Amino acid sequence: MFQLRARVFQDRMGWDVTVEDGREFDIFDNLDPVYLVALDDSYNVIGCNRMLQTTGPHMLTDVFQDILMGEPPLRSATVWENTRFCIDTDRLKQPGSTRSVSATACELMAGIAEYAYESGISDVISVVDPAMDRILKRCDNAPHGYLGQTVQMGKTKALAALSDITEERIARIRNFAGITGNIFADEDEVADALAARSTDDTMSPDLRDYCDEQIAAATTEHEKRAAVALRAALAQTIRSSSDIRATPQ
């Protein structure tokens, strides 16, 4: 996620951000934010978003305060701020990608709204540029209001969009993008998949292809979790066997 942020905000957009070891990270990442991470079918990161409470330091108040034009910052336990929304357009545009940029953006937007709704968050502030504001409107996720004024920020303009978190908003985003079912991955499934991927290099190409085919052929979440667990178990068994053979006797 932090590597994607570095590629998008430093390399592509040219923002003045702090990047170390290929990862973009700022002081707000130290404030226990919520991260929403979009994954493709191979569990690669293809999008992300950060959410911060407005009761403490956040970007609109402490970085983009010019937008407020002297107005007091909006602080509430039920109003949170969205920042660092980005999509890995390079990966999604590669041949063979099963996800589109627009579908991924909508899925991430739906995830933000659903997480907020389930967490009792009533409104979300997003500091966006005019292009992102137009994207929100095209996705039937138009802000219901704005704070302060649109101001020049470096090479682009910035404005603070305010979105109410309601069932109606969630339904609009889902209907626009044709999203059905649960969009949140099971944490155990992801952990198993990442563990399997970390040891995939020990598997033969035929066995790895077989496991990938089983995952791709799964028609239910239960079948997919079972296929992912099988790959993880096989990879772990192979790695354990390799460790035993490598142990001096």
Side-chain angles (χ1 to χ4, degrees):
M1 179 189 71
F2 293 115
Q3 291 173 339
L4 171 60
R5 281 170 41 174
R7 294 195 302 272
V8 170
F9 296 115
Q10 183 186 66
D11 300 346
R12 186 195 309 166
M13 301 182 68
W15 287 13
D16 183 17
V17 294
T18 300
V19 175
E20 295 183 3
D21 297 325
R23 296 171 172 83
E24 189 271 315
F25 192 93
D26 67 15
I27 59 173
F28 300 102
D29 290 303
N30 294 320
L31 301 179
D32 194 26
V34 170
Y35 299 109
L36 288 98
V37 182
L39 306 173
D40 65 13
D41 293 339
S42 298
Y43 301 92
N44 297 302
V45 175
I46 53 175
C48 62
N49 182 77
R50 180 179 68 190
M51 299 182 70
L52 281 168
Q53 298 186 56
T54 60
T55 51
H58 58 283
M59 297 196 73
L60 178 60
T61 298
D62 297 273
V63 177
F64 300 115
Q65 61 268 31
D66 288 350
I67 292 176
L68 296 174
M69 304 297 289
E71 296 180 13
L74 180 59
R75 296 191 182 276
S76 169
T78 62
V79 178
W80 285 41
E81 178 191 65
N82 275 338
T83 55
R84 294 304 195 256
F85 183 102
C86 61
I87 303 294
D88 192 345
T89 55
D90 293 337
R91 180 181 293 275
L92 293 173
K93 290 179 179 179
Q94 290 177 359
S97 173
T98 59
R99 303 288 186 93
S100 68
V101 173
S102 60
T104 301
C106 287
E107 189 175 78
L108 191 53
M109 291 178 196
I112 293 167
E114 291 183 23
Y115 171 82
Y117 184 81
E118 294 297 328
S119 302
I121 298 170
S122 62
D123 296 88
V124 170
I125 300 170
S126 304
V127 177
V128 299
D129 61 13
M132 186 63 194
D133 189 44
R134 291 191 294 271
I135 291 173
L136 292 173
K137 293 174 180 177
R138 284 201 301 267
C139 296
D140 209 1
N141 187 26
H144 80 277
Y146 299 89
L147 301 177
Q149 298 183 23
T150 301
V151 299
Q152 192 72 31
M153 288 286 182
K155 298 180 180 179
T156 186
K157 294 182 178 181
L159 59 156
L162 190 62
S163 300
D164 55 337
I165 301 300
T166 63
E167 290 182 328
E168 290 77 12
R169 180 176 295 278
I170 294 170
R172 290 201 309 269
I173 301 171
R174 279 179 166 268
N175 290 337
F176 174 84
I179 297 172
T180 59
N182 180 25
I183 61 175
F184 288 101
D186 178 82
E187 290 187 14
D188 290 338
E189 174 191 336
V190 175
D192 289 343
L194 294 179
R197 191 169 69 178
S198 69
T199 54
D200 268 353
D201 56 348
T202 65
M203 300 174 68
S204 69
D206 288 342
L207 183 56
R208 186 165 55 246
D209 290 345
Y210 169 78
C211 291
D212 289 342
E213 289 170 2
Q214 295 303 304
I215 294 172
T219 57
T220 66
E221 286 300 316
H222 176 74
E223 290 180 354
K224 186 174 182 180
R225 284 196 295 270
V228 169
L230 172 63
R231 184 173 67 176
L234 288 171
Q236 181 60 42
T237 299
I238 294 171
R239 183 173 63 176
S240 297
S241 298
S242 298
D243 290 342
I244 292 173
R245 288 196 299 271
T247 302
Q249 301 297 322

